[in-house]
Amino acid sequence: MEKLEQLKEEAMQAIENAQSLSELQQQRVHYLGKKGPIQDVMKMMKDLSAEERPAFGAQVNEIKKAVSDAIEAKRGELEVKEMNLRLEKEKIDITLEGYKPVIGNIHPLTLVQQELEDLFIGQGYTVAEGPEVELDFYNFERANIPQGHPARDMQDTFYIDHERLLRTHTTAIQTRQLELHAPHPIKVICPGKVYRRDDDDATHSHQFTQMEGLVVAEGIQLSDLKGTLEFMAKKMFGESRVIRFRPSYFQFTEPSVEVDVSCHVCNGKGCPVCKGTGWIEILGAGMVHPNVLEMAGYDSTKMSGFAFGVGVERVAMLKYGIDDIRHFYTNDVRFLKMFKRFD
Ligand code: PHE
């Protein structure tokens, strides 16, 4: 009996001292396994008298249970301890900076085009588009520029064959729109890419972007055009801008005008941007030529209209102080990133 007590003390101590789950497991195998000291003590049963045996047996069972309970309790304690150790070891340092994906931004030409579209849509215009590979018919014939007309020289372009070419102006969209809507009123803006046979330099490009506007209805006058363009100039270059008309010539408008806007840099006093004149030329415009209206199916004695065509690059260059048109097309990210509105 004494030996049993001693054994229990020893087992309890060993369990208490276990530092890890694997150490605890070793103690379990040792004390509760087939070849452990408790089994050895059991073997002494046969030397005892019949009266002594039940008490001895009960004592052994009690020790086994006490040892087993102690092991379970210790296991719980060690599990928590080892889990905490693992969590400590596997801690992720979330303060480390990650990789930022590169997010693009809207191209400055698109930005200006959208801005122009927004202000005209706000005035009740709809946006119309057309093909870049265009028929000679819509690009020239319907714009009152027949075969052999000298004006064709100024708008030489890339020809696909005798009938098809890369359109030289978005006026081609307008002649299509006129045909589509005649004899009814129309109010559209026509943005798009256009092409010319040109030598590229800081202010010329063989491909560029235009946005034209066209309004046809009963009683449309030159004053309507002036009001519309002044509104656009103020929206694009500031509320204090004014515009002026100078006589000009286009085959598809009569009368035709060049439109200048007062310089937004010097406010009209004269500076390098406006070449000392106080005015900057921004677009061509005029009253739609009766021939153009008639060819499309309008009665030019009842209906009249105005049209204007603005270069999107030109507006963007003035607005953002860009000195070379080629920046728009070479896709240098240092240039493009300057038009990022947020990070
Ligand atoms: N189509 C002309 C150009 O490309 C611009 C323009 C449009 C002029 C409409 C008058 C009216 O130069």
Side-chain angles (χ1 to χ4, degrees):
M1 285 296 199
E2 215 170 274
K3 187 138 199 235
L4 278 177
E5 266 316 306
Q6 212 181 323
L7 198 53
K8 183 180 169 188
E9 279 303 307
E10 185 195 311
M12 291 305 201
Q13 197 58 48
I15 290 162
E16 188 50 42
N17 290 343
Q19 291 299 312
S20 65
L21 284 170
S22 65
E23 244 181 83
L24 187 68
Q25 180 60 14
Q26 279 170 20
Q27 298 303 345
R28 182 189 178 83
V29 171
H30 180 64
Y31 285 104
L32 300 179
K34 292 252 181 301
K35 289 183 190 129
I38 298 178
Q39 287 305 115
D40 285 348
V41 169
M42 290 281 271
K43 282 178 198 146
M44 289 159 56
M45 285 258 269
K46 62 179 183 332
D47 301 330
L48 295 176
S49 65
E51 301 85 63
E52 284 171 321
R53 272 181 204 169
F56 186 80
Q59 180 77 351
V60 170
N61 281 338
E62 194 229 292
I63 290 174
K64 273 189 178 170
K65 187 169 180 322
V67 168
S68 168
D69 286 352
I71 286 173
E72 283 317 304
K74 188 72 182 174
R75 185 199 304 282
E77 187 187 308
L78 287 174
E79 267 171 4
V80 172
K81 194 175 139 198
E82 289 196 4
M83 172 69 86
N84 284 339
L85 261 171
R86 230 180 40 236
L87 287 177
E88 192 62 33
K89 245 187 15 217
E90 292 176 0
K91 204 148 90 183
I92 297 165
D93 183 0
I94 55 163
T95 62
L96 201 65
E97 199 176 339
Y99 295 102
K100 243 193 201 162
V102 180
I103 298 172
N105 55 283
I106 296 176
H107 191 280
L109 285 180
T110 311
L111 220 56
V112 170
Q113 185 175 321
Q114 286 176 348
E115 205 176 325
L116 284 165
E117 283 175 6
D118 279 354
L119 73 91
F120 281 108
I121 288 168
Q123 297 276 295
Y125 288 72
T126 51
V127 180
E129 292 182 327
E132 285 174 41
V133 176
E134 182 55 284
L135 291 170
D136 180 293
F137 183 71
Y138 289 110
N139 193 81
F140 290 131
E141 295 282 334
R142 278 287 174 88
N144 205 26
I145 313 173
Q147 284 281 349
H149 193 291
R152 288 199 176 205
D153 283 352
M154 290 191 308
Q155 295 198 9
D156 196 9
T157 183
F158 303 88
Y159 284 84
I160 309 297
D161 54 35
H162 281 302
E163 281 160 13
R164 284 172 299 171
L165 45 80
L166 295 187
R167 70 182 175 203
T168 60
H169 49 186
T170 43
T171 306
I173 307 177
Q174 304 204 357
T175 58
R176 282 176 176 273
Q177 287 291 312
L178 285 170
E179 183 183 89
L180 205 65
H181 289 89
H184 305 292
I186 180 175
K187 194 172 182 184
V188 288
I189 43 165
C190 313
K193 276 190 221 125
V194 299
Y195 304 80
R196 306 257 172 111
R197 204 223 66 79
D198 223 334
D199 293 322
D200 292 2
D201 63 23
T203 52
H204 295 86
S205 170
H206 61 280
Q207 179 222 294
F208 58 103
T209 320
Q210 282 188 333
M211 164 103 66
E212 297 201 4
L214 172 68
V215 176
V216 175
E218 260 179 72
I220 295 292
Q221 303 175 8
L222 197 65
S223 53
D224 297 317
L225 174 65
K226 192 159 189 185
T228 301
L229 294 180
E230 189 153 285
F231 169 77
M232 181 184 91
K234 286 181 190 301
K235 285 283 177 234
M236 296 307 283
F237 296 106
E239 281 304 315
S240 54
R241 299 282 64 78
V242 288
I243 59 166
R244 71 175 184 187
F245 280 0
R246 282 180 291 114
S248 186
Y249 171 75
F250 297 105
Q251 304 73 41
F252 33 90
T253 48
E254 180 61 34
S256 301
V257 292
E258 292 290 345
V259 182
D260 297 338
V261 57
S262 59
C263 182
H264 58 293
V265 177
C266 63
N267 218 0
K269 283 193 215 58
C271 72
V273 173
C274 58
K275 299 191 184 84
T277 64
W279 295 94
I280 297 172
E281 185 186 320
I282 54 162
L283 58 89
M287 300 306 289
V288 182
H289 196 291
N291 286 357
V292 173
L293 290 174
E294 293 287 341
M295 279 190 281
Y298 284 96
D299 178 352
S300 67
T301 62
K302 274 171 67 188
M303 302 287 262
S304 57
F306 68 69
F308 59 88
V310 60
V312 178
E313 280 83 351
R314 177 124 181 92
V315 173
M317 286 169 87
L318 288 168
K319 210 172 148 74
Y320 296 115
I322 298 162
D323 61 359
D324 195 320
I325 197 169
R326 290 168 292 197
H327 285 313
F328 291 121
Y329 318 117
T330 43
N331 288 333
D332 185 331
V333 283
R334 291 168 301 180
F335 171 75
L336 298 174
K337 264 183 3 201
M338 294 197 290
F339 300 91
K340 206 163 186 166
R341 288 161 163 180
F342 51 85
D343 239 330

